[in-house]
Amino acid sequence: MSGAALYIKEDLQISSTQEEILVGCLNIFSLIGSLAAGKTSDQIGRRYTILLAAATFFLGAILMGIAPSFPFLMAGRVVAGIGVGFSLMIAPVYSAELSPASTRGFLASLPEVFINVGILLGYISNYFLAGLPASLNWRVMLGLAALPALLVGFAVVFMPESPRWLVMKGRFAEAKRVLIKTSSSEEEVESVDSRVNEMVKASLDLPSNGPSWHELISPRSNAIRRIVIAAIGVNFFMQASGNDAVVYYSPEVFKDAGISSKRQLVGVTVIMGVAKASFALVSALFLDRFGRRPLLLLGSTGMAVSLALLGLGSKYLDQCQDDKPVWAIVLCIVAVCADVSFFSIGLGPITWVYSSEIFPMRLRAQGSSLAISVNRLVSGVVAMTFLSVSEAMSFGGMFLALSGVMVMASVFFYCYLPETKGKTLEEIGLLFEDQDDESRRLFVS
């Protein structure tokens, strides 16, 4: 959308406010998908929820690709937004429930890795499609999203169901078969029976009509309260960081910095996309080795510094009317790339991993659904106000404010998020139980 928006604005003659609504509505309407995905995945299974997400993506992409007007384009964007909500909730939950404890960090972070690969492919295709007529190029840019949606739909046929969902439904033999297939060592294969027994125990307190929202919104136990605060907090700060807005509006940011050519603007976003995707993969590879907390704190503090430098650089360029120094433009480009890179090291992959692994089995789907709904709501608000607020206080002022948000995020992560590396999903809940201060210091470290 970031590249397509440049040409949509020209072809359909829309205002900056309409551009904000077009970009941000995807996140607002993804609330519908993320809230519905919890119940849906508990009822029909994780695999078929992924299929439902793919079908919604496909329909949204087709509608946007053939859109003859702004309202029609908005309709396609809304449908795609619902698909986003479904996929952002179900992909990390499915990955976490299917993964062995030893590689869960890597496997559950793959959704974020491939989100970044998808963003990079979008930037690259935008660059090559920019040469088409302005009335056609943006339609092809958006319509191409139907192809990966088809691929996901066909891939579901070959994917196993989540063993934990199968246990919840009393299908123990099938759950054992899946666990044997997905075990990463002989030791894990030999412990399949005990692992299934742990899952059965974890599912015993599941009400016959499923978990209720009341238990999440007004939890009775301190452990669940801490889990909800941790999950909502990490999802809130993921989007309050402004990363989605930087991705969506990067051409506008670089344009303000002094790059005028549309093709150059799209080209610089490709560089940003390469940095973002590369560091997401690096984080995924080292997540199970170094743990969640160190990478999360490195990412959030790095973002705070990068955004501060970007803000100061943008402020300086605002003072230079005609002759904008090259070093200041380069500083802003490097700072943007550093910001999205640190995001990909920390908040990007770890938000999905953490949200999907800390909830107990009976609350995992709906708990993740609640946390990701907060994620989508904040993302939508930021995306739909980013340009307007930046016009009022300048891009430099906006980035300095976001730097302050990341300082607060770092403090929150340090105080409230325990390490979960190497623990089974059933063991993680114990980290949030009441413990004395000495024990708490041990598990946080």
Side-chain angles (χ1 to χ4, degrees), residues 102 105-106 283-292 294-295 421-422:
S102 59
F106 169 71
S283 178
L285 291 171
F286 288 99
L287 199 52
D288 288 306
R289 180 177 174 184
F290 294 115
R292 284 54 159 161
L295 291 180
K421 179 186 72 171

Side-chain angles (χ1 to χ4, degrees), residues 293-309 338-339 342-343 345-347 402-411 413-414:
R293 276 174 61 84
L295 291 180
L296 189 58
L297 290 169
L298 171 64
S300 58
T301 52
M303 287 181 73
V305 173
S306 302
L307 286 164
L309 291 174
D339 175 54
F342 278 115
F343 177 86
I345 288 172
L347 271 169
L402 291 174
S403 176
V405 170
M406 291 317 300
V407 170
M408 291 188 288
S410 300
V411 173
F413 300 151
Y414 182 81

Side-chain angles (χ1 to χ4, degrees), residues 45-235:
R46 311 321 193 203
R47 288 174 67 234
Y48 289 114
T49 305
I50 293 172
L51 181 62
L52 182 60
T56 314
F57 266 130
F58 178 80
L59 178 59
I62 294 296
L63 289 174
M64 288 189 288
I66 63 173
S69 62
F70 179 71
F72 201 101
L73 179 62
M74 280 288 297
R77 187 76 169 161
V78 167
V79 173
I82 295 172
V84 167
F86 270 105
S87 62
L88 287 181
M89 177 269 156
I90 195 59
V93 167
Y94 176 79
S95 301
E97 291 189 339
L98 201 65
S99 306
S102 59
T103 55
R104 190 179 61 247
F106 169 71
L107 294 173
S109 64
L110 285 181
E112 175 65 17
V113 171
F114 285 103
I115 284 172
N116 284 292
V117 170
I119 289 171
L120 176 58
L121 290 175
Y123 286 149
I124 292 171
S125 64
N126 286 351
Y127 181 79
F128 287 105
L129 293 171
L132 295 174
S135 61
L136 177 64
N137 55 14
W138 63 266
R139 289 185 170 86
V140 180
M141 291 174 187
L142 300 179
L144 278 175
L147 296 179
L150 270 178
L151 181 62
V152 172
F154 285 120
V156 167
V157 176
F158 305 99
M159 293 160 57
E161 183 52 88
S162 158
R164 287 167 173 85
W165 182 81
L166 291 170
V167 166
M168 284 169 59
K169 298 300 179 182
R171 294 157 62 177
F172 306 126
E174 291 177 64
K176 287 181 182 179
R177 285 198 294 270
V178 174
L179 285 171
I180 291 170
K181 283 184 179 180
T182 57
S183 293
S184 60
S185 67
E186 282 298 321
E187 184 180 347
E188 287 184 348
V189 172
E190 292 169 1
S191 65
V192 161
D193 287 334
S194 63
R195 288 159 65 194
V196 169
N197 288 336
E198 283 181 8
M199 295 176 196
V200 172
K201 289 176 185 175
S203 66
L204 285 178
D205 55 353
L206 182 67
S208 58
N209 61 344
S212 71
W213 286 108
H214 180 74
E215 189 173 356
L216 289 167
I217 297 170
S218 181
R220 288 170 292 179
S221 76
N222 289 332
I224 298 299
R225 185 176 297 108
R226 293 186 189 112
I227 288 171
V228 171
I229 290 171
I232 288 179
V234 73
N235 276 274

Side-chain angles (χ1 to χ4, degrees), residues 314-427:
S314 297
K315 282 285 188 183
Y316 180 80
L317 286 170
D318 285 343
Q319 308 304 315
C320 308
Q321 297 301 320
D322 299 320
D323 188 22
K324 297 191 175 185
V326 175
W327 69 264
I329 296 174
V330 171
L331 172 64
C332 288
I333 294 172
V334 171
V336 169
C337 290
D339 175 54
V340 298
S341 298
F342 278 115
F343 177 86
S344 292
I345 288 172
L347 271 169
I350 293 171
T351 298
W352 309 123
V353 174
Y354 211 80
S355 301
S356 63
E357 67 184 5
I358 61 175
F359 285 100
M361 187 161 71
R362 74 182 192 280
L363 296 173
R364 186 168 298 125
Q366 285 194 250
S368 297
S369 178
L370 175 64
I372 291 165
S373 295
V374 172
N375 182 301
R376 295 293 84 201
L377 178 62
V378 177
S379 179
V381 170
V382 171
M384 295 180 78
T385 58
F386 184 81
L387 287 182
S388 299
V389 174
S390 296
E391 286 174 5
M393 62 188 297
S394 78
F395 278 119
M398 184 67 162
F399 291 128
L400 288 172
L402 291 174
S403 176
V405 170
M406 291 317 300
V407 170
M408 291 188 288
S410 300
V411 173
F412 176 84
F413 300 151
Y414 182 81
C415 295
Y416 290 99
L417 272 60
E419 182 57 71
T420 59
K421 179 186 72 171
K423 298 189 180 297
T424 67
L425 295 179
E426 286 67 39
E427 290 171 341

